[in-house]
Amino acid sequence: MIIDSSQDGTPAGLPAAGSVHRVPEPGTVEAEFIGVDGTLVQRRWVEAAIAVKFEQLAPVAAFPVVPGRRWGPGWWWSATTAGHVMHGSQAMCTQLMLLDRDPQVVGLSARPVRLVWRDPGSGRVLTWVPQVFARYADGGALFADCPTMTSPAAGRAERAAAVLEAACAAVGFAYRRLVPPDRTVAANVRWLAGYRHPRHRDAGGLEQAVLEAFTAPRPLMAGAAAAGEVLSALPVLYHALWSGRLTADLTRPLGEHTLVSAGRPDPAEDDAEREREQHAR
């Protein structure tokens, strides 16, 4: 059960009206993770959430290799961290890809912590290892699982989701089950992800020309041609679409006639502009 702390007068740890699962007090939940020296560490969750940089931790549990399954564990190279993040399924890899493209995400890791608690109903000790951790620029954070289906959680996953939502809310974090994205969106972002490496940003010195070509919205291929030699301009264009410096409707198949327009400015350019304004005062 998730206790809504915004409801004054609701005794902590007791069932609330309309709830399904009882959850333990966040202060009684424990966190297990691999320390910097490679040893297993256990601390109270509310303390670990403040002190531990989960985005820097190795997985606390390995991803299993299931015989007969078409997809096994692998690595995602993150443009956010300039390092690899492990994944255990295609669904998880897709969610890592989407988080990697989020401009607010500044850190990513896989299975960095195991939460341990005693079930208020049965008294049994239960555990759960969320698949993904994302750190945001404002200091907030997300723990998430990556189901392969869009159906609601059930059974053990549903009970664990209730506990994790309450535990994360208690420390200002969030927990979500990240449902698979629309197939067209996933395919488009996966294509753009092939150009996520920084080497594509100004390949051939065409960055400025590509951005200027889409000052006003125009078809993708027409803008690439206006920026220079098409085959040289396209990687720069795709990198700009990945990073959000250019934007397009990714709910429709990406192609030569896709309308592309200017996106968000580069954060570094924003900082430089603010600095110039301060000097001018």
Side-chain angles (χ1 to χ4, degrees), residues 33-270:
F33 52 92
I34 304 299
V36 293
D37 59 355
T39 60
L40 185 66
V41 179
Q42 184 165 333
R43 297 181 62 176
R44 289 191 180 276
W45 159 248
V46 292
E47 298 172 357
I50 296 172
V52 178
K53 296 184 181 298
F54 293 115
E55 63 271 32
Q56 298 179 1
L57 298 186
V60 71
F63 291 97
V65 177
V66 181
R69 183 176 292 177
R70 296 179 59 187
W71 187 276
W75 296 91
W76 172 262
W77 186 84
S78 167
T80 299
T81 66
H84 286 89
V85 182
M86 197 173 187
H87 59 79
S89 67
Q90 187 171 13
M92 183 178 174
C93 183
T94 297
Q95 297 298 346
L96 284 172
M97 174 182 70
L98 296 175
L99 288 167
D100 198 21
R101 188 169 180 257
D102 186 336
Q104 297 304 314
V105 172
V106 296
L108 283 171
S109 63
R111 286 190 166 187
V113 65
R114 176 185 290 108
L115 271 67
V116 184
W117 68 93
R118 189 174 296 278
D119 181 67
S122 66
R124 292 183 301 160
V125 174
L126 303 177
T127 68
W128 191 265
V129 182
Q131 292 177 294
V132 173
F133 175 79
R135 179 77 68 182
Y136 292 102
D138 63 1
L142 168 72
F143 277 101
D145 284 306
C146 310
T148 58
M149 308 289 287
T150 58
S151 54
R156 182 168 176 259
E158 183 183 18
R159 293 192 295 272
V163 174
L164 266 67
E165 284 178 6
C168 286
V171 296
F173 291 177
Y175 169 79
R176 294 204 305 272
R177 285 172 56 82
L178 302 174
V179 299
D182 173 81
R183 288 187 178 183
T184 300
V185 172
N188 286 334
V189 177
R190 191 171 294 112
W191 175 266
L192 298 178
Y195 300 89
R196 67 190 182 278
H197 196 281
R199 66 174 174 267
H200 295 295
R201 173 166 176 156
D202 192 26
L206 291 174
E207 176 186 19
Q208 194 59 38
V210 167
L211 295 178
E212 289 177 355
F214 295 99
T215 301
R218 69 195 305 176
L220 183 149
M221 196 60 71
E229 200 278 320
V230 171
L231 293 181
S232 298
L234 282 176
V236 181
L237 194 165
Y238 291 141
H239 178 84
L241 284 169
W242 161 267
S243 65
R245 302 182 71 199
L246 294 178
T247 186
D249 180 7
L250 298 183
T251 64
R252 301 172 64 85
L254 195 64
E256 61 179 307
H257 300 298
T258 297
L259 199 65
V260 177
S261 57
R264 61 177 179 269
D266 186 285
E269 292 178 358
D270 281 353

